[in-house]
């Protein structure tokens, strides 16, 4: 039996912008994307062009990780919390610093990037989409 757990980011109409941002900032590869309008529609509930343009589902590949990004359904609201975040592990402090700097643009610094007892460069940022990232540099063996 094989089990895989993937991060799934749900946004309120900004999924397309987030996908572009993660492609630029994290080198994400877009494997699949479908808008609400490209999927099966309920003709009893007509949608605006804006709602049809929302991202129903996307699949991104960042390194060895698959991540999903989509918009919530019209009328749903996102509840931001810090109980779930994404941890990016790198082998070099320079890479961690680059990722940290690009993700904090337009967002907020939660923990300044710097040495910690468990990592030569560790920090935490919440990006402009409200997604919290831990940036962790592995110790060299």
């Amino acid at each position: 039996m094989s089990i895989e757990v993937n991060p799934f980011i749900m946004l309120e109409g900004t999924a397309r912008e987030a996908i572009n941002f993660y492609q630029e900032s994290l080198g994400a590869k877009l494997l699949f994307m479908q808008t609400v309008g490209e999927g099966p529609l309920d003709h009893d509930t007509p949608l605006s062009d804006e709602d049809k343009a929302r991202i129903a589902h996307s699949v991104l590949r960042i390194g060895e990780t698959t991540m999903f990004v989509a918009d919530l359904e019209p009328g749903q609201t996102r509840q931001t919390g810090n109980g779930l975040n994404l941890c990016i592990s790198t082998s070099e402090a320079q890479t961690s610093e680059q990722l940290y700097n690009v993700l904090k643009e337009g967002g907020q610094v939660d923990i300044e990037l710097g040495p910690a007892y468990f990592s030569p460069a560790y920090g935490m940022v919440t990006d402009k989409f409200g997604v919290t990232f831990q940036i962790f540099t592995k110790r060299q063996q």
Side-chain angles (χ1 to χ4, degrees), residues 85-88 93 96-97 100 110-125 132-138:
N85 53 64
L86 304 177
C87 182
I88 300 175
S96 292
E97 184 176 2
Y100 177 87
D110 300 313
I111 299 174
E112 287 285 343
L113 184 71
Y117 73 92
F118 53 85
S119 171
Y122 172 80
M124 186 182 286
V125 295
T132 300
F133 289 87
Q134 292 185 49
I135 310 297
F136 171 77
T137 309
K138 299 174 187 173

Side-chain angles (χ1 to χ4, degrees), residues 17-28 62 67 88 95-105 127-129 133 135:
E17 182 183 350
I19 291 165
N20 291 332
F21 178 70
Y22 297 138
Q23 286 177 303
E24 293 170 14
S25 63
L26 301 176
I62 304 170
M67 178 171 81
I88 300 175
T95 303
S96 292
E97 184 176 2
Q98 290 169 342
L99 294 171
Y100 177 87
N101 287 333
V102 73
L103 289 170
K104 75 177 184 179
E105 289 180 25
D127 74 8
K128 61 185 172 182
F129 302 102
F133 289 87
I135 310 297

Side-chain angles (χ1 to χ4, degrees), residues 1-129:
M1 179 171 88
S2 175
I3 296 176
E4 186 175 325
V5 177
N6 303 99
F8 199 128
I9 298 173
M10 299 295 293
L11 299 168
E12 293 182 88
T14 58
R16 185 179 309 275
E17 182 183 350
I19 291 165
N20 291 332
F21 178 70
Y22 297 138
Q23 286 177 303
E24 293 170 14
S25 63
L26 301 176
K29 306 281 187 245
L30 181 62
L31 304 179
F32 175 81
M33 184 170 70
Q34 183 179 47
T35 65
V36 171
E38 293 170 331
L41 298 175
D42 179 0
H43 296 290
D44 295 332
T45 310
L47 296 174
S48 69
D49 287 342
E50 183 180 322
D51 287 341
K52 287 179 186 176
R54 284 178 173 260
I55 303 302
H57 189 63
S58 73
V59 180
L60 300 173
R61 188 82 174 155
I62 304 170
E64 298 299 315
T65 302
T66 301
M67 178 171 81
F68 307 133
V69 179
D71 286 310
L72 292 165
E73 292 186 23
Q76 286 184 314
T77 56
R78 186 169 158 214
Q79 297 178 4
T80 303
N82 61 3
L84 176 65
N85 53 64
L86 304 177
C87 182
I88 300 175
S89 299
T90 73
S91 58
E92 297 176 0
Q94 182 180 4
T95 303
S96 292
E97 184 176 2
Q98 290 169 342
L99 294 171
Y100 177 87
N101 287 333
V102 73
L103 289 170
K104 75 177 184 179
E105 289 180 25
Q108 73 179 35
V109 171
D110 300 313
I111 299 174
E112 287 285 343
L113 184 71
Y117 73 92
F118 53 85
S119 171
Y122 172 80
M124 186 182 286
V125 295
T126 300
D127 74 8
K128 61 185 172 182
F129 302 102

